[in-house]
Amino acid sequence: MLLSAASSAIVLACIAPAAAQDTAQTTATSDEEIIVTGIRGSLQRNLDIKRESSGVVDVISAEDLGKFPDSNVASALQRLPGVAIQRSGSRGDATGVSIRGFGGDFVRTLYDGRQLSTATGGRGIDFTTVGADFVGRLSVYKTPDVELSTSAIGGTIDISLPKPLDREGFVMAASASGSIQSRDKGITPTGGLLVSNTFADGQFGVLGSVAYTRRDTESNQVFIPGWIGAQGGGKLGLYACQLTATCTSAQMTDANRTGKATWFPQQHGINQQSTQDKRIDGRIAVQWQPSDDILLTIDDNYSRQTVSSQSYGYAAWFNGSDLRNVKTDANGVVVDFNQFGTPMDFNANRSSNVYESNQVGANLKIDLAENLKFEADAAFARATRNPGKSGYNDSMDIGYGGTNANNTTVLGANTGVTILGASKDYLPQIHDIGPAGNVSRFLDTSVVGSHVIVRGTNYNHDTVRQFRGAIGWEKDGFLAKLGGQYIDDTLYQQGDSTFTNGVFASRSGYGTCSGRTGGSSGGICPLPANVYQGTVSTSGFIPGYSGNLAPGFFVYDPYAVYKLLEASGGSVAPSFNPGSVLEVHEKTWSVWFKTKFENEIAGMPFTIAAGIRNETTHLQTTAIGRRVLGLSIPAGDPTLIQPNPALGPNRDGYSASTEIRKKSNYTFLLPSIDAKLEITPTLVFRADASRTLTRPGLSSLNPVTSLGTLRVGSLSASGGNPDLKPYLSDNFDAGLEWYYQRNSYLAINAYLKHITNFIVGGVTRGPIDGVIDPSTGQTAIFSINAQINGPEATVKGFEIAVQHVFGDSGFGFQANTTLPSSNRNYDKSNVTGGAFAVTGLAKSANFVGFYDKNGFQIRGAVNWRDEYLSGIGQGQGGAYGAEPVYVDAQLQVDASASYDVTKQFTIFGEVTNINNSTYSTHGRFANQALDIWSYGRRFTGGVRFRY
């Protein structure tokens, strides 16, 4: 139906010019002088673009050169209807956006119409890597423009950057500021400089800009990485005897399980993380316009971001078969228990990741004739994660306790966790802690020994080569345009890990203090005093929450522990992981045609635009596969399982490596049609229909299955699928927009998306390479998470937006809400492993109030997003399928103000997260807490100068 409608529209458009009439464009503006700077000027420019566009477009413009409304691009986007943000728990920053509920991988982000490269392996980008210092405009296309892209079901974001011929003569903009986060103790600097000039009577221009940004954040986290479904032999639930204090081996058979679906926390702990985020952005743009008919633009955009962190905390690990005195609620959630001999881990981490990207491009526009225009654009982009293997992620676990081979304990405790209530209000409460259950000795260094070594990092790079060209004819309200595009995208990734070479568990078990193996095959205990650097209290750890935590945790140097372990025999370094190697080469050819004409219906101006885009994609995926030869339990810790280091040519438990190569291809025809009717000079009706697609993330195409969590009673693995096809969506929009006065409007939009080829991650339980579980002597059964194209889904919703300026008072506001729904919601009662749901859908609302007059500006923003399903698959979990992750409702309040001391000089300040909002997630049920983050407030002050 879409193809037929679009084709008919194209035919109609081709014959329409004969009947077209020149009609005067009527607007709702008055004769008053247009304000071109400040908040109101920016808002009016946004409305002008929105109103004139053929499809559904929302825009955010800079208030002036170097004066974007927010310091983060994603934070600015969340003010738009239908747009919400995803935050980074550790930093609290807006790292990604969703449009109408469809998150990062469903949103395509472009720089001046060009695809960005990203080394993450996904389709979305991390918006903390995009500087907002000198962004000129953000355009959000909720309905596709076949010339720009049809490869985004959620929408397309085009970031427009400044160019030298945008402004005549010499222009300079500079800014400097300092910010402090409420928990941090130092002010971090940010600064930027842009210089632009034109020469030869405006025929030649050069622009250069550079910006440095640093943000330091200290955040607190309480976590349960996964809720495990208890079952065995196909029967649900814990052993019935676990509801009491004791169990015998005769009672612990699958026949004696309760038969009721039950979930228990795999681990419980806390972290305090200090993050330093430094970014340098640079841009050079050169333009040459020898005549009004020719414009050549060459630009180069560079970014380098370094994110370093250090964290400390504690954690306790739980095995399902070891729980006693278990209490469950009506949903089967374990809300209290004890575990005999529970160890206590204290972790320390140092990490650094460098993200470097560079995009160079050239654009040529030529007016071949009065109504005939040609454009060609070519670009090369490369993004690298940890160039030159510069990154690292080094963790060390130390601690005490645990049971021994004969099921006795020296320092273990009967530790458990009490679930007091919902994750948005209550912390999981740990109890019965300390050496041998003595909480007063919880931080007694005399019994602390070394445990597992978690080290490794990824080294990725993504290279994008692209070219597009178009030729178009436009006259008397009629446009016809033909073009093509070629994109060559190559992702390569590899990594190092201590899980590869047996180092992870080589010195585990806490040593002889805990009655475990010591020396070269076990932990060192006690650790010397020079390892420790102090302790941190957990008092007031997460403001506004109820629930007790352990009294504190150690601050210590993981590298000092590494040196001790190496001195006693054996390397602690990670090694190359062949299973991490993946190369995906994706080539896409696109040909498109679009047309637009303007006419009248009963005296009402009418615009119709239609287009067709044909996309053909060829994929080649290359990876390294290995078979698991066997599993073993390390001597130092009877709760761990590892690939047997006595087997294989490399003594790592794996067979020799073999190359695996897969090829696939697909072609899709993607039509679209947009209609706009100006019912009155102030009332506009829109209707749109289109087909779009979203390709699977490149890293999801990995043909290799990799082992995940390996513990006694909990074995997991995951794999990709090189044969995945894109999601397809048929989209329909209808809306009314009322521009009742300058700078003010009311809009209501309804949308519907029917999605097929939905990619789902299903969990199956089964063997891998026939290896034996050393804890049972039977064939090892893994929970294997894999992805397939499967069901279809429908998403629909409403967007309501209003913007109003109160005359010349300087006061105004923006408000909007988005109300989405779907026929595919997560079924919390489904424990078959095949659960499916549309993720990211959430009700949201935004309000921005402002004052802008006499050089003084003040803005306050309130952003609310309701609870939503963010993904299926927890960090640790399984047995009942891919467990869900829900994000709790969140409300955040921000404010900013500025004053123009002179026309050139401005002082400004802002406060983010005024209400000290937290970020929390939970599993199937509201009391299955997963992550609870507190990242505090941030205060910024600075100056701007423009000449």
Side-chain angles (χ1 to χ4, degrees), residues 170-224:
F170 178 80
V171 178
M172 183 181 74
S175 65
S177 65
S179 68
I180 185 170
Q181 189 241 10
S182 53
R183 290 198 187 94
D184 202 47
K185 300 195 171 45
I187 297 176
T188 57
T190 294
L193 174 67
L194 180 147
V195 177
S196 177
N197 204 357
T198 58
F199 310 92
D201 295 326
Q203 292 185 350
F204 184 77
V206 179
L207 179 147
S209 67
V210 63
Y212 170 82
T213 305
R214 176 173 166 180
R215 297 168 73 92
D216 289 0
T217 306
E218 185 177 281
S219 55
N220 291 342
Q221 176 196 21
V222 175
F223 65 87
I224 292 176

Side-chain angles (χ1 to χ4, degrees), residues 2 18 38 264 308 342 378 402 497 684 707 727 803:
L2 283 170
F264 69 91
S308 304
T342 303
S497 173
V684 176
L707 300 185
Y727 305 79
Q803 178 176 299

Side-chain angles (χ1 to χ4, degrees), residues 256-416:
N256 291 325
R257 292 185 181 272
T258 63
K260 177 184 177 181
T262 307
W263 292 264
F264 69 91
Q266 181 75 89
Q267 190 182 26
H268 172 50
I270 70 171
N271 274 317
Q272 184 172 89
Q273 181 166 318
S274 299
T275 304
Q276 182 186 88
D277 183 351
K278 297 189 295 185
R279 192 182 69 244
I280 297 175
D281 298 290
R283 170 173 168 79
I284 296 176
V286 178
Q287 286 187 299
W288 179 49
Q289 190 171 23
S291 69
D292 292 340
D293 300 328
I294 300 175
L295 176 61
L296 174 65
T297 304
I298 300 174
D299 60 349
D300 189 348
N301 302 294
Y302 172 83
S303 175
R304 181 182 176 92
Q305 181 186 32
T306 302
V307 181
S308 304
S309 69
Q310 58 182 22
S311 66
Y312 309 96
Y314 67 76
W317 182 273
F318 306 106
N319 293 310
S321 61
D322 293 336
L323 308 187
R324 301 292 184 268
N325 298 320
V326 175
K327 295 181 177 61
T328 62
D329 66 10
N331 293 320
V333 178
V334 172
V335 295
D336 201 6
F337 64 90
N338 291 99
Q339 176 178 266
F340 173 75
T342 303
M344 181 58 64
D345 289 347
F346 298 92
N347 59 278
N349 172 271
R350 301 283 194 278
S351 70
S352 178
N353 284 279
V354 179
Y355 304 91
E356 187 175 67
S357 65
N358 192 71
Q359 184 184 79
V360 59
N363 181 276
L364 177 65
K365 296 178 181 178
I366 303 176
D367 293 348
L368 301 174
E370 182 180 356
N371 305 110
L372 188 64
K373 297 182 179 181
F374 170 79
E375 180 180 0
D377 189 277
F380 173 86
R382 184 180 177 90
T384 306
R385 179 179 180 178
N386 296 323
K389 295 191 174 182
S390 53
Y392 55 87
N393 188 358
D394 295 331
S395 294
M396 186 68 220
D397 278 2
I398 61 176
Y400 52 78
T403 56
N404 307 317
N406 58 358
N407 202 33
T408 62
T409 184
V410 176
L411 295 175
N414 292 326
T415 303

Side-chain angles (χ1 to χ4, degrees), residues 240-260:
C241 63
Q242 292 183 263
L243 305 182
T244 63
T246 61
C247 276
T248 66
S249 57
Q251 293 173 309
M252 298 180 72
T253 64
D254 290 336
N256 291 325
R257 292 185 181 272
T258 63
K260 177 184 177 181

Side-chain angles (χ1 to χ4, degrees), residues 343-522:
M344 181 58 64
D345 289 347
F346 298 92
N347 59 278
N349 172 271
R350 301 283 194 278
S351 70
S352 178
N353 284 279
V354 179
Y355 304 91
E356 187 175 67
S357 65
N358 192 71
Q359 184 184 79
V360 59
N363 181 276
L364 177 65
K365 296 178 181 178
I366 303 176
D367 293 348
L368 301 174
E370 182 180 356
N371 305 110
L372 188 64
K373 297 182 179 181
F374 170 79
E375 180 180 0
D377 189 277
F380 173 86
R382 184 180 177 90
T384 306
R385 179 179 180 178
N386 296 323
K389 295 191 174 182
S390 53
Y392 55 87
N393 188 358
D394 295 331
S395 294
M396 186 68 220
D397 278 2
I398 61 176
Y400 52 78
T403 56
N404 307 317
N406 58 358
N407 202 33
T408 62
T409 184
V410 176
L411 295 175
N414 292 326
T415 303
V417 174
T418 302
I419 304 300
L420 300 170
S423 60
K424 64 184 180 63
D425 299 310
Y426 295 93
L427 302 176
Q429 181 167 284
I430 196 166
H431 57 78
D432 294 299
I433 55 175
N438 185 348
V439 67
S440 66
R441 298 181 61 201
F442 185 77
L443 297 176
D444 183 353
T445 59
S446 69
V447 296
V448 176
S450 67
H451 191 37
V452 294
I453 306 161
V454 184
R455 303 180 71 183
T457 192
N458 296 316
Y459 311 105
N460 308 345
H461 60 78
D462 180 48
T463 303
V464 178
R465 300 172 177 87
Q466 53 193 308
F467 174 82
R468 57 183 167 89
I471 187 167
W473 186 76
E474 185 172 12
K475 184 178 181 182
D476 297 331
F478 172 77
L479 167 70
K481 202 167 187 179
L482 175 68
Q485 186 176 42
Y486 170 70
I487 299 178
D488 184 314
D489 190 350
T490 302
L491 170 74
Y492 177 83
Q493 60 185 37
Q494 71 172 68
D496 298 339
S497 173
T498 51
F499 291 93
T500 304
N501 53 7
V503 165
F504 165 74
S506 63
R507 310 301 295 277
S508 60
Y510 316 110
T512 54
C513 300
S514 294
R516 300 282 190 91
T517 302
S520 60
S521 60

